[in-house]
Amino acid sequence: QLQLVESGGGLVQPGGSLRLSCAASGFTLAYYAIGWSRQAPGKEREGVSCITSSGVIIDYANSVKGRFTVSRDSAKNTVYLQMNSLKPEDTAVYYCAVNNYGTCRGSFGSWGQGTQVTVSS
């Protein structure tokens, strides 16, 4: 059973940074494409970024380019989302998930439970 658990969210001031973690159990995360998405209150889920098994990174959201970076630590079976220069509009629940095609394109499955990020002064 593929299971992902997100952590690292919290309350941060505008301009601050957070690093989210997506830990995998039951499978070797490095063999899969793993994506991050977010959902703000009252809005649809938005794709943020994704990393393939070969390390190719695809950024979905123009609003986070240059501020968010996805990476993977195979030894820890974990994918990270480093978020810098955070803005109030980054406030959302952040999720990681397994891409069903290994390409960071198309649908995702095996969603984690999410971690709340709140950017506020």
Side-chain angles (χ1 to χ4, degrees):
Q1 181 180 0
L2 306 184
Q3 185 174 9
L4 296 171
V5 177
E6 301 95 336
S7 62
L11 173 64
V12 63
Q13 292 186 344
S17 298
L18 281 175
R19 189 178 75 161
L20 306 184
S21 299
C22 172
S25 62
F27 69 106
T28 301
L29 186 146
Y31 296 158
Y32 295 82
I34 304 296
W36 285 96
S37 63
R38 64 186 182 184
Q39 188 165 22
K43 294 186 177 181
E44 293 187 353
R45 189 171 294 186
E46 172 189 35
V48 175
S49 188
C50 183
I51 183 168
T52 69
S53 59
S54 59
V56 175
I57 294 172
I58 296 175
D59 293 321
Y60 301 120
N62 289 328
S63 61
V64 307
K65 288 182 179 179
R67 300 189 297 123
F68 290 11
T69 303
V70 62
S71 63
R72 181 177 61 228
D73 186 334
S74 298
K76 295 183 178 180
N77 213 26
T78 299
V79 166
Y80 301 99
L81 183 67
Q82 177 68 43
M83 306 187 297
N84 299 326
S85 302
L86 283 162
K87 305 175 181 179
E89 51 263 43
D90 294 320
T91 295
V93 178
Y94 284 72
Y95 301 89
C96 61
V98 179
N99 179 255
N100 291 327
Y101 301 96
T103 61
C104 289
R105 303 297 183 187
S107 61
F108 287 79
S110 301
W111 294 89
Q113 85 290 347
T115 185
Q116 175 71 48
V117 172
T118 302
V119 184
S120 175
S121 55

